[in-house]
Amino acid sequence: MKTPITVSVTGAAGQIGYALLFRIASGALFGPDQPVNLRLIEIEKALPALEGTVMELKDCAFPLLSEVVATADLDEGFKGANWALLVGSVPRGPGMERNDLLGINGKIFTGQGEAIARSAAEDIRVLVVGNPCNTNALIAMRNASGVPNDRFFAMTRLDENRAKAQLAEKAGVHSSDVTNLCIWGNHSSTQYPDFTTALINGQPVTDIITDREWLENTFIPDVQQRGAAIIKARGASSAASAENAAIDTVRSLVTPTPAGDWTSVAVCSDGSYGIPAGIIASMPIRTEDGKSWSVVQGVEVSAFSQEKISGSIAELQSEMDAVKDLLA
Ligand code: NAX
């Protein structure tokens, strides 16, 4: 039996958490022969509900689930964690923009960053899902003294998956036929789903979907506003698709990226593509070994793309400015 991988999940009693835990425990995250420990973190008042989820996890008798701990104590929750999925925060409600959440949620991530630095395993990697996820990841990273910056990620995979699904539907192909789709910038309504470099079965999307007007003025805003559209339709924010994207993100970072392709995830910029170093921005990423990753270089950025990317980066910079007191 392999040594279990320890996964800490914050917001474990929330709607994304409820979907996520069972898939991690069933092997969807690390494969069918890899045992896992789950360390579930919630605020005190959600612990009774979390206890119910723990009972259900036990009732599944998952062969791969070695240990489950539920706690409100951050050091206990992140103890020995190889992966931390930071989902817990206050979700966006109807009519709320992500900027409204900055002040409310930012403070959660200072304490979590510090606790990760104190208690997690040496190889800890952190995926932030809770919004505003880029800036929350920045806050956690800057407060996790001693943990390398390249261990922090914020989730834009749901946006990538949404964009691929929309292009596939328009072209009458399967979403898995769409590759090289990069989400640039912030996980917000300024994000840029870059159709200009995307391929459908190896052909440029723009050769297959020749309706440029649709690409620029329907596709982009639909992807940018998809989260709001789901809230409007469901009366609650995306949950199963978000959970699925979190699984996809981690799997993409722990398995080699298919040749010629890339994946979208927000990482600490090294200055590539003129994105200021030190901010957490989404860009095209590859991993060759499932451990280290790199920014894919040489992706063509047209003037149209550059304008969109710059707008989203400006938003990230203003978010960073708004939380500067939380950055150690
Ligand atoms: P829920 O409100 O259902 O669950 C959030 C949970 O977090 C609650 O159980 C709450 O008690 C817990 N929590 C709050 N503060 C905490 C803290 N300090 N420590 C530990 N737990 C804490 O929200 P849910 O629908 O699960 O969404 C979670 C987060 O994901 C939200 O911030 C949401 O905006 C964000 N999303 C991010 C997406 C992305 O693509 N990056 C897409 C989906 C989702 O909107």
Side-chain angles (χ1 to χ4, degrees):
M1 202 67 167
K2 289 181 172 174
T3 308
I5 293 178
T6 297
V7 185
S8 298
V9 180
T10 70
Q15 55 160 0
I16 294 175
Y18 187 75
L20 185 58
L21 303 179
F22 295 86
R23 285 194 71 205
I24 299 173
S26 70
L29 195 57
F30 296 116
D33 63 348
Q34 175 59 59
V36 286
N37 296 324
L38 283 174
R39 303 191 76 85
L40 312 180
I41 302 172
E42 262 293 351
I43 50 175
E44 289 281 351
K45 76 169 197 236
L47 285 180
L50 183 57
E51 204 40 57
T53 305
V54 170
M55 288 160 73
E56 284 198 79
L57 280 165
K58 289 181 179 165
D59 293 350
C60 291
F62 285 119
L64 294 172
L65 185 56
S66 294
E67 185 191 35
V68 190
V69 171
T71 181
D73 180 278
L74 292 179
D75 286 293
E76 194 189 355
F78 290 120
K79 189 174 162 196
N82 307 107
W83 272 94
L85 309 181
L86 307 186
V87 181
S89 61
V90 179
R92 192 175 66 180
M96 251 168 118
E97 267 305 317
R98 290 171 62 272
N99 267 2
D100 302 333
L101 293 180
L102 270 172
I104 304 171
N105 282 330
K107 291 185 191 74
I108 295 174
F109 291 83
T110 55
Q112 291 185 355
E114 288 165 3
I116 284 168
R118 279 193 304 267
S119 302
E122 219 163 88
D123 67 351
I124 178 70
R125 286 188 268 180
V126 180
L127 173 65
V128 180
V129 174
N131 279 323
C133 64
N134 297 54
T135 296
N136 289 341
L138 176 76
I139 294 168
M141 180 183 86
R142 293 280 291 266
N143 285 276
S145 167
V147 182
N149 289 354
D150 66 0
R151 308 287 186 79
F152 289 83
F153 308 92
M155 189 168 93
T156 52
R157 181 58 172 268
L158 178 54
D159 309 300
E160 178 186 323
N161 289 348
R162 287 166 170 167
K164 285 179 169 172
Q166 300 224 4
L167 292 174
E169 194 169 312
K170 181 79 173 169
V173 298
H174 192 265
S175 53
S176 58
D177 296 329
V178 186
T179 61
N180 301 79
L181 189 295
C182 182
I183 303 294
W184 293 91
N186 201 0
H187 168 68
S188 77
S189 55
T190 67
Q191 66 174 273
Y192 173 50
D194 187 355
F195 63 83
T196 67
T197 59
L199 304 175
I200 292 177
N201 291 318
Q203 301 294 311
V205 160
T206 47
D207 286 357
I208 291 167
I209 303 172
T210 51
D211 184 352
R212 181 87 188 188
E213 159 69 20
W214 180 85
L215 287 167
E216 288 187 13
N217 299 320
T218 301
F219 166 73
I220 293 178
D222 277 4
V223 175
Q224 290 172 330
Q225 299 296 337
R226 185 71 166 182
I230 302 243
I231 291 172
K232 198 167 162 224
R234 227 171 74 82
S237 56
S238 323
S241 56
E243 164 271 316
N244 180 66
I247 299 271
D248 282 352
T249 308
V250 174
R251 285 202 64 76
S252 290
L253 290 166
V254 300
T255 49
T257 312
D261 204 359
W262 54 70
T263 188
S264 305
V265 60
V267 295
C268 182
S269 175
D270 62 357
S272 294
Y273 297 100
I275 298 172
I279 66 168
I280 302 270
S282 185
M283 54 189 103
I285 298 301
R286 278 187 62 80
T287 174
E288 309 306 327
D289 59 4
K291 292 190 179 81
S292 59
W293 54 266
S294 58
V295 180
V296 177
Q297 299 298 326
V299 175
E300 196 182 324
V301 178
S302 64
F304 175 82
S305 297
Q306 187 59 60
E307 195 191 322
K308 302 280 184 202
I309 295 169
S310 299
S312 197
I313 298 303
E315 181 185 54
L316 279 172
Q317 286 178 297
S318 76
E319 286 187 13
M320 184 175 175
D321 197 46
V323 300
K324 60 178 183 298
D325 294 347
L326 303 177
L327 302 177

